[in-house]
Amino acid sequence: QVHLQESGPGLVKPSETLSLSCSFSGGSISSYYWTWIRKPPGKGLEWIGSVYYTGTTKYNPSLKGRVTISIDSSKNQFSLKLNSVTTADTAVYYCASYTGRFFDFWGQGTLVTVSS
Amino acid sequence: SYELTQPPSVSVSPGQTVRITCSGDTLPNELAYWYQQKAGQAPVVVIYKDTERPSGIPERFSGSSSGTTVTLTISGVQAEDEADYYCQSRDSSDTVLFGGGTRLTVL
């Protein structure tokens, strides 16, 4: 059983950088791709990207260029940075463990609102 | 780029059977997964590898696959099944794909 917990600011100004962290426990770091997913209000789930414990990353092409996901294995944490945010980036952001095929454990989610 | 297409909404009376479809060109080559998301909660996988049901998921949930379409079937729907349902797969470049989601309303 993997436990994940998101943390970070709930309000970000337009054009600034959204930064979130996810702390995880209970699983082997090398067993998963550690992943960020978001759900904008009234819309569906969107995969943002994933990072492996080696630092290898994979991003959603629709966000590529604005997103960076990194991992700190010593702290069992991984992070999301999304640049140049707009109101369209307002969403509940989830961190999750990805087996390479599906997501078996999820954090509870954190709402990030982009507003001036 | 590949997409997964779901109906936006379905409705069913308690005790009836409902089928939710997910269509996409990648599905003949990649396995599909179904998630249930209730309001204010994180998604939970209810079907994996097209047809497998995780432990703890009621037997009324089942999955099937045919060509470019996978289907989630809920037999004997209960009020507690009211939720959003998402299919998920991946494409040949390992990009994760989600369907747009289907809102299940239990009348």
Side-chain angles (χ1 to χ4, degrees), chain A residues 5-41:
Chain A
Q5 180 67 57
E6 304 90 352
S7 61
L11 181 64
V12 181
K13 290 182 168 56
S15 80
E16 295 190 346
T17 297
L18 180 158
S19 296
L20 295 173
S21 294
C22 179
S23 298
F24 59 89
S25 61
S28 169
I29 190 172
S30 61
S31 296
Y32 295 101
Y33 296 85
W34 303 96
T35 299
W36 289 98
I37 294 162
R38 68 181 182 180
K39 185 182 185 306

Side-chain angles (χ1 to χ4, degrees), chain B residues 4-106:
Chain B
L4 298 177
T5 301
Q6 299 179 233
S9 63
V10 294
S11 58
V12 64
S13 299
Q16 299 298 304
T17 294
V18 66
R19 294 175 180 84
I20 300 173
T21 59
C22 171
S23 299
D25 289 338
T26 191
L27 293 177
N29 304 309
E30 295 290 344
L31 296 168
Y33 303 82
W34 288 95
Y35 300 85
Q36 176 193 68
Q37 186 175 32
K38 296 183 178 179
Q41 298 182 19
V44 172
V45 62
V46 293
I47 294 291
Y48 67 101
K49 292 184 182 178
D50 291 348
T51 62
E52 301 295 317
R53 190 177 57 250
S55 61
I57 300 301
E59 291 184 7
R60 63 181 180 273
F61 288 86
S62 63
S64 61
S65 175
S66 179
T68 58
T69 299
V70 293
T71 302
L72 172 68
T73 300
I74 311 173
S75 306
V77 170
Q78 300 184 7
E80 67 198 51
D81 299 331
E82 187 162 281
D84 293 329
Y85 291 86
Y86 295 90
C87 62
Q88 178 252 312
S89 188
R90 64 182 188 181
D91 67 15
S92 55
S93 60
D94 289 335
T95 296
V96 174
L97 305 171
F98 282 106
T102 299
R103 171 71 53 89
L104 171 63
T105 300
V106 182

Side-chain angles (χ1 to χ4, degrees), chain A:
Chain A
Q1 185 88 1
V2 177
H3 180 73
L4 301 106
Q5 180 67 57
E6 304 90 352
S7 61
L11 181 64
V12 181
K13 290 182 168 56
S15 80
E16 295 190 346
T17 297
L18 180 158
S19 296
L20 295 173
S21 294
C22 179
S23 298
F24 59 89
S25 61
S28 169
I29 190 172
S30 61
S31 296
Y32 295 101
Y33 296 85
W34 303 96
T35 299
W36 289 98
I37 294 162
R38 68 181 182 180
K39 185 182 185 306
K43 295 188 178 181
L45 299 170
E46 180 181 29
W47 171 69
I48 298 171
S50 303
V51 61
Y52 197 48
Y53 79 103
T54 57
T56 300
T57 54
K58 182 78 175 176
Y59 300 130
N60 188 324
S62 69
L63 295 170
K64 202 167 184 178
R66 290 204 297 137
V67 61
T68 303
I69 298 175
S70 57
I71 191 165
D72 186 337
S73 301
S74 67
K75 295 182 179 178
N76 276 9
Q77 271 187 357
F78 62 105
S79 300
L80 168 69
K81 291 189 185 301
L82 184 64
N83 301 326
S84 305
V85 297
T86 69
T87 54
D89 295 309
T90 293
V92 175
Y93 285 76
Y94 296 96
C95 58
S97 55
Y98 180 51
T99 67
R101 293 199 177 267
F102 75 106
F103 303 93
D104 54 356
F105 298 103
W106 299 65
Q108 65 184 23
T110 186
L111 175 63
V112 178
T113 301
V114 178
S115 175
S116 55

